[in-house]
Amino acid sequence: MISIAEAIRAALLTGEPRAKVMATRALARAWRCGGLAWDFAVGMPERPTWPAELELLPPNRMPRRGKGGSLRGAIALWHSLAHIEFAAIDLALDMAGRFGSRMGRAFVGDFLAVAADEAMHFALIERKLRALGSRYGALPAHDGLWEAAFGTRHDVAARLAVVPMVLEARGLDVTPAMRDRVLALGDRQGARILQRILDDEIRHVAAGTQHFVTECDCQGKVPEIHWKMLVKRHFRGALKPPFNDSARLAAGLSRDFYAGVA
Ligand SMILES: [Fe+2]
Ligand SMILES: [Fe+2]
């Protein structure tokens, strides 16, 4: 029987987008059905494999995304979302593979389910891009998304603080307005995709927050205070309002966490 870590590592090192989606969904299914051995002897790669043709640019060199009004604008918008979801697959896989042996079965199950959601989100967006006459890899993408993972590779609390509780929580803040704008442009199917992503992301942030709080409890730390310290140390960007307080609260992220840091 193949081990969990081997299966995760193989999915991380799959660069072709559709193949990564398939590998991720197959591995989440194998986990649910008891088809993977609980063994983490194999380490995770420093970097996942991304499509060879994808040009990565530093965030400050990315062309502006625009509002999606023209076909070009729509392609740019959905391409940037495709990249976020594609990277999110690997962020969730790496979380499960790197910290799973220490954190236990519920943790692994949660983050493999997140990875499968991200694979579905990517697949929906990739289909949308094709319908617009483009594809993932046709435009440059920003290279900042793996930095947060790399900088927190030795500390599960720091990883949880930055990835689900900052980056994914940021998605909760910006997605409703994006959905409304897409709908106002007459794209009902696009708006439905964004609504589905928003609903799923609330669960992702909730899972991350819950494991963070548990980990803080084990370390004898106050979650809100420890989170602020970790974010200051490991997250280079700013936490920018407006916050989607109701979605954040639904995910267990009360204002006590982010009040005073923005
Ligand atoms: Fe997602
Ligand atoms: Fe997510």
Side-chain angles (χ1 to χ4, degrees), residues 12-243:
L12 283 165
L13 293 176
T14 301
E16 200 284 310
R18 287 180 173 187
K20 192 190 284 284
V21 166
M22 303 267 284
T24 301
R25 297 176 70 185
L27 115 74
R29 195 180 320 113
W31 161 261
R32 286 197 307 274
C33 302
L36 297 172
W38 184 260
D39 182 328
F40 291 86
V42 165
M44 295 300 114
E46 288 222 333
R47 248 202 109 106
T49 306
W50 288 354
E53 73 271 22
L54 185 71
E55 186 195 350
L56 293 170
L57 295 178
N60 59 1
R61 286 199 38 223
M62 284 295 295
R64 278 194 47 84
R65 183 154 77 196
K67 302 261 175 200
S70 61
L71 176 62
R72 249 185 81 197
I75 290 171
L77 171 70
W78 291 103
H79 194 280
S80 72
L81 295 175
H83 181 58
I84 289 169
E85 299 295 344
F86 191 76
I89 301 172
D90 288 329
L91 289 168
L93 290 173
D94 188 82
M95 184 83 86
R98 188 175 297 274
F99 302 111
S101 94
R102 182 163 158 255
M103 299 297 286
R105 288 172 189 272
F107 181 94
V108 169
D110 282 349
F111 283 101
L112 290 184
V114 169
D117 282 349
E118 308 299 11
M120 175 54 78
H121 297 167
F122 174 79
L124 289 168
I125 292 173
E126 198 253 0
R127 202 190 304 155
K128 172 104 196 145
L129 267 180
R130 298 222 175 223
L132 293 169
S134 187
R135 65 189 161 73
Y136 182 50
L139 297 177
H142 83 81
D143 195 23
L145 290 175
W146 195 253
E147 261 171 44
F150 189 73
T152 55
R153 66 196 181 285
H154 301 304
D155 180 356
V156 69
R159 175 69 65 84
L160 289 164
V162 171
V163 174
M165 296 172 77
V166 171
L167 299 179
E168 289 190 288
R170 178 92 191 119
L172 304 184
D173 301 334
V174 300
T175 307
M178 199 183 289
R179 173 203 59 204
D180 294 348
R181 217 159 52 226
V182 162
L183 190 60
L185 293 167
D187 182 359
R188 285 171 41 200
Q189 184 243 2
R192 269 203 307 275
I193 293 176
L194 291 172
Q195 182 62 49
R196 174 177 178 170
I197 289 176
L198 178 59
D199 293 340
D200 288 346
E201 294 303 333
I202 291 175
R203 278 189 291 108
H204 299 178
V205 177
T209 304
Q210 184 227 313
H211 289 291
F212 178 79
V213 169
T214 306
E215 176 64 16
C216 287
D217 185 40
C218 296
Q219 294 184 18
K221 300 206 160 109
V222 179
E224 291 82 354
I225 296 173
H226 195 44
W227 183 78
K228 282 181 191 161
M229 191 278 284
L230 291 169
V231 169
K232 209 182 205 171
R233 184 181 296 170
H234 295 284
F235 183 66
R236 284 214 246 126
L239 302 187
K240 278 178 286 188
F243 298 116

